[in-house]
Amino acid sequence: MASIASKNAKNKSKSKSKSKSKGRLSLSELKTLGHQLLSSRAHINNLPILLSHVSPTSPPPHALESLLSLHSFFAPILSDLPSSKPSSTTHHHDDDPELIYNTWVRSKFDIFVNSLIDFAASPLADETLKEVVLDTIMEFVKVANGGRFHSAIYHRLLHAIVHSTVPVNFVVDLLVSKYFKYIDVRYFTYISLEKLARTLEAKDISDHGDLNADSNDESHSKSSLEIFIHNIHYVISHIPPLESSDEKSDFEMWSRPGGDSKELSGNPKAEDKEHQTEKNKNNVLSAAKIAKKMKLKFTKAWISFLRLQLPLDVYKEVLVTLHQAVIPYLSNPIMLCDFLTRSYDIGGVVSVMALSSLFILMTQYGLEYPNFYEKLYALLVPSIFMAKHRAKFFQLLDSCLKSTLLPAYLAAAFAKKLSRLSLSVPASGALVIIALIHNLLRRHPSINCLVHREVQEETSKETDADMSSRKLGSDHFDNEESNPIKSKAMKSSLWEIDTLRHHYCPPVARFVLSLENDLTVRAKTTEMTVQDFSSGSYATIFGDEIRRRVKQVPLAFYKATPTSLFSESDFPGWTFKHEGKETIDGNDEKEITNISDKCDNSSAKRQRVESS
């Protein structure tokens, strides 16, 4: 009977604890449970109750109180808890009550960490509380592995951030501002992002290979994959790179046991100087090794990320910043050649964005790309003069055409293509074209024949068909040809530039006069700075004209008020037919007055009805 009574008492106590855990406890009750848990092991059953309140759906004060109590409970005993992974020694001590207790507490600690990570990635959680949660997670990352960086907990945090379908910018921004200054946090971030990118790549390949998948599921998985890629890009693009000036001995470590190396600062005694110098040398060596490892992890993370099927907006953002934020810090930048050549072959705006990075690989790292100039020639279309990144493109175009080893036919093809575009681009584009052609003519004297070409007499070798097909004033240049070799630019001339003398925009008409100088005499001429014209627009041209001081101002003066926009003398030999107003005879005028009277009478009647 006594055993039955004890069992009933235990069941009642369990039911009471369950009812407490399921019901909504007050803040004072949670504080009491926390104090009891910290005071004695006898209240260890308060642990699951407090864990249940660490949730985004709990009121923020309740969640905060539970979090603080649990953090105070777990922090001192983490070093005594066994590993989460079962080891062979645990099977020999199954009867040890202390080990059983510690194993159970360890399982509750893992649940606590998972709850914190879910809390940090949840859209329902309070932002102020998220900062406390992130600080708690990073504190466990620091101390939960005997002073070494706990990469498993940190990887689970990044996994939750990347696989979140809601925006996680707030948590990432907290990581950037508070923890990415530590070298070990950045190091393990690169390692985790590389693993996550490889996992997404394998998942993408398996989704494409599964042909029997439902279309709805496929579209859902594709949209989720794009969100995950956006999250990876947001994290990896906000990690500060390791500058060359940072390769020093005072790296800040988040998990370094024993404090920072800055504690060595002060006024050491004379006998300790030799020891300190030797220690600093060792620190410099370790800093160099750290920098080398960081560069390797940085490279692996970015290469794994660039292998993914990037959405178009992420693709463009990556290409815009790749030459400044990624290439200088890679261990071997040539590894990007496949990604950049594929991007350059796409054409359009994507090719323009890839040009900066590709040009750096060709000029600084010895990359060979045989069809580079042919692809560059294909980018010269009218729409490029209104593109967002046109300023950088024109500067790179000028740099690509700077080599004196450029063949004459290639320089002539670019000059003629730009000359033809000057007829259809805005005024700001015509200014850039004049500057580019000016530099081409000055760098390559062999194409100065394009400036003025005399009509030569037909040779006796030409057939009658050739003579009949060639007309006086015809242009041999083929503007539709995509291959600059076959464009026949060397047989043409820059007649389009001569038409710019009469351009409607005065700055263009004035600027084209610079091409009248003898550009073959390099000592008397200088190259144009394309950067001064590459970002121009109608607004900049208008602003320059407003600020320009004009000595003689043309006035529009007429002796008689003009009756038309153009006078007959403006178009001699032309007559213009126009339909005047038809005359109204007396009968028509009477009918019109009768109709208007009827309309007035009907409106008056309507007003009287509405007023009554």
Side-chain angles (χ1 to χ4, degrees):
M1 293 294 290
S3 62
I4 295 174
S6 62
K7 286 182 180 180
N8 292 333
K10 289 181 179 180
N11 291 333
K12 286 181 180 180
S13 62
K14 288 181 180 180
S15 63
K16 286 181 180 180
S17 63
K18 287 182 180 180
S19 63
K20 281 186 178 181
S21 63
K22 289 182 179 180
R24 184 65 59 85
L25 298 178
S26 64
L27 189 60
S28 60
E29 290 176 332
L30 285 175
K31 287 183 179 180
T32 304
L33 291 176
H35 288 307
Q36 292 174 352
L37 178 65
L38 296 174
S39 62
S40 172
R41 280 191 181 186
H43 302 285
I44 193 64
N45 288 330
N46 293 353
L47 183 60
I49 301 175
L50 292 172
L51 282 173
S52 65
H53 284 79
V54 182
S55 171
T57 57
S58 299
H62 293 66
L64 178 61
E65 182 62 36
S66 301
L67 187 152
L68 295 177
S69 299
L70 291 170
H71 178 263
S72 301
F73 172 75
F74 282 116
I77 64 173
L78 280 176
S79 58
D80 300 330
L81 298 181
S83 174
S84 300
K85 298 178 181 179
S87 59
S88 58
T89 58
T90 57
H91 298 290
H92 300 288
H93 303 280
D94 289 342
D95 297 333
D96 186 1
E98 187 67 20
L99 180 62
I100 295 173
Y101 171 79
N102 288 334
T103 304
W104 182 82
V105 173
R106 177 70 198 202
S107 65
K108 297 304 177 185
F109 173 74
D110 293 336
I111 294 174
F112 180 45
V113 171
N114 290 335
S115 300
L116 292 176
I117 292 174
D118 294 339
F119 198 105
S122 173
L124 304 175
D126 182 68
E127 288 188 350
T128 306
L129 200 54
K130 276 186 178 182
E131 186 172 359
V132 180
V133 169
L134 183 63
D135 292 340
T136 306
I137 294 172
M138 294 305 295
E139 185 68 23
F140 288 148
V141 169
K142 183 177 183 178
V143 301
N145 195 22
R148 295 186 300 274
F149 195 94
H150 202 302
S151 57
I153 294 178
Y154 188 65
H155 179 76
R156 280 148 61 188
L157 173 64
L158 289 181
H159 183 277
I161 291 174
V162 168
H163 288 80
S164 175
T165 55
V166 295
V168 287
N169 298 357
F170 180 77
V171 179
V172 177
D173 292 340
L174 286 176
L175 275 173
V176 172
S177 61
K178 300 183 71 171
Y179 298 104
F180 278 0
K181 62 183 178 181
Y182 301 106
I183 193 71
D184 51 349
V185 175
R186 281 185 274 174
Y187 180 82
F188 286 101
T189 303
Y190 288 133
I191 292 177
S192 295
L193 290 180
E194 180 198 357
K195 294 178 181 178
L196 293 170
R198 290 183 181 276
T199 305
L200 291 181
E201 183 185 9
K203 182 180 179 182
D204 189 23
I205 294 173
S206 64
D207 289 343
H208 283 294
D210 189 7
L211 300 177
N212 297 325
D214 190 7
S215 59
N216 294 330
D217 295 340
E218 185 178 355
S219 61
H220 178 71
S221 62
K222 185 177 180 181
S223 61
S224 300
L225 185 63
E226 289 184 357
I227 295 174
F228 300 160
I229 293 174
H230 275 88
N231 293 338
I232 291 182
H233 176 252
Y234 191 81
V235 176
I236 200 172
S237 61
H238 282 77
I239 304 175
L242 186 66
E243 302 285 350
S244 57
S245 60
D246 290 341
E247 296 179 8
K248 50 190 177 182
S249 58
D250 56 347
F251 282 126
E252 285 190 87
M253 304 283 284
W254 174 243
S255 59
R256 176 185 295 175
D260 201 357
S261 62
K262 292 181 180 179
E263 294 178 359
L264 297 173
S265 61
N267 295 320
K269 297 181 180 180
E271 59 269 15
D272 295 332
K273 286 185 178 179
E274 184 177 355
H275 175 69
Q276 185 182 4
T277 305
E278 184 180 355
K279 192 170 185 179
N280 287 337
K281 288 182 180 179
N282 294 332
N283 286 338
V284 170
L285 289 174
S286 63
K289 291 180 180 179
I290 289 174
K292 186 176 180 180
K293 288 185 176 181
M294 282 290 295
K295 186 169 283 192
L296 288 174
K297 298 304 179 184
F298 177 90
T299 303
K300 289 182 178 180
W302 268 101
I303 295 299
S304 299
F305 171 69
L306 294 178
R307 288 197 184 109
L308 299 172
Q309 295 292 329
L310 304 181
L312 185 59
D313 55 343
V314 176
Y315 205 131
K316 291 180 179 180
E317 289 181 23
V318 168
L319 289 175
V320 168
T321 59
L322 201 63
H323 64 287
Q324 292 178 339
V326 180
I327 290 180
Y329 310 105
L330 292 175
S331 59
N332 184 15
I334 295 296
M335 298 174 70
L336 290 176
C337 64
D338 292 336
F339 174 77
L340 290 175
T341 51
R342 284 198 308 269
S343 304
Y344 194 58
D345 291 341
I346 291 175
V349 180
V350 176
S351 296
V352 175
M353 294 177 173
L355 183 60
S356 300
S357 302
L358 195 60
F359 180 73
I360 291 175
L361 292 187
M362 292 176 63
T363 54
Q364 299 181 17
Y365 299 98
L367 176 66
E368 295 183 3
Y369 187 39
N371 299 326
F372 176 76
Y373 283 101
E374 185 176 336
K375 299 289 184 182
L376 185 62
Y377 184 81
L379 293 177
L380 295 178
V381 291
S383 60
I384 199 66
F385 290 85
M386 290 163 289
K388 182 180 179 180
H389 305 282
R390 63 183 182 275
K392 186 64 177 178
F393 170 75
F394 291 131
Q395 295 172 34
L396 289 171
L397 177 63
D398 185 59
S399 300
C400 294
L401 301 176
K402 189 173 287 187
S403 174
T404 56
L405 300 178
L406 202 67
Y409 73 86
L410 206 54
F414 277 93
K416 181 61 182 177
K417 185 73 173 181
L418 290 168
S419 179
R420 183 62 60 88
L421 286 171
S422 66
L423 301 178
S424 57
V425 299
S428 57
L431 292 174
V432 181
I433 287 174
I434 294 171
L436 289 169
I437 292 178
H438 178 280
N439 292 343
L440 280 171
L441 292 174
R442 186 177 180 275
R443 296 167 187 164
H444 308 282
S446 57
I447 67 170
N448 271 271
C449 58
L450 300 179
V451 176
H452 182 72
R453 184 183 296 278
E454 297 286 347
V455 180
Q456 301 177 355
E457 296 181 358
E458 305 294 337
T459 58
S460 58
K461 294 183 180 180
E462 290 180 336
T463 62
D464 294 338
D466 294 334
M467 293 177 64
S468 61
S469 62
R470 179 181 297 180
K471 298 179 181 179
L472 186 63
S474 63
D475 195 347
H476 294 272
F477 176 69
D478 187 1
N479 191 43
E480 304 298 328
E481 178 58 52
S482 60
N483 191 347
I485 302 176
K486 301 177 182 179
S487 62
K488 303 177 183 178
M490 287 297 289
K491 297 181 180 180
S492 182
S493 64
L494 303 179
W495 60 264
E496 299 91 349
I497 299 299
D498 187 63
T499 64
L500 298 182
R501 296 170 183 263
H502 311 287
H503 199 276
Y504 71 90
C505 187
V508 176
R510 289 193 301 266
F511 190 42
V512 77
L513 297 178
S514 63
L515 295 179
E516 292 185 354
N517 301 326
D518 188 3
L519 299 178
T520 56
V521 184
R522 298 174 62 88
K524 296 182 180 180
T525 57
T526 57
E527 285 194 0
M528 296 283 184
T529 306
V530 176
Q531 186 177 359
D532 297 340
F533 309 95
S534 57
S535 57
S537 62
Y538 282 113
T540 58
I541 293 175
F542 184 77
D544 293 340
E545 286 297 300
I546 291 296
R547 291 187 295 269
R548 185 169 172 266
R549 297 183 64 181
V550 181
K551 295 181 180 179
Q552 296 180 355
V553 181
L555 299 176
F557 175 74
Y558 300 97
K559 293 181 178 180
T561 304
T563 57
S564 61
L565 184 60
F566 300 105
S567 61
E568 294 182 0
S569 60
D570 291 336
F571 300 95
W574 290 79
T575 57
F576 300 94
K577 294 181 179 181
H578 63 280
E579 296 180 358
K581 294 182 179 179
E582 295 182 358
T583 58
I584 303 176
D585 57 8
N587 296 329
D588 295 336
E589 189 173 357
K590 288 181 181 180
E591 291 181 1
I592 293 173
T593 55
N594 291 334
I595 292 171
S596 62
D597 292 340
K598 291 179 180 179
C599 293
D600 294 338
N601 294 333
S602 62
S603 62
K605 290 179 181 179
R606 189 180 299 108
Q607 290 177 359
R608 287 197 296 271
V609 171
E610 290 176 354
S611 62
S612 61

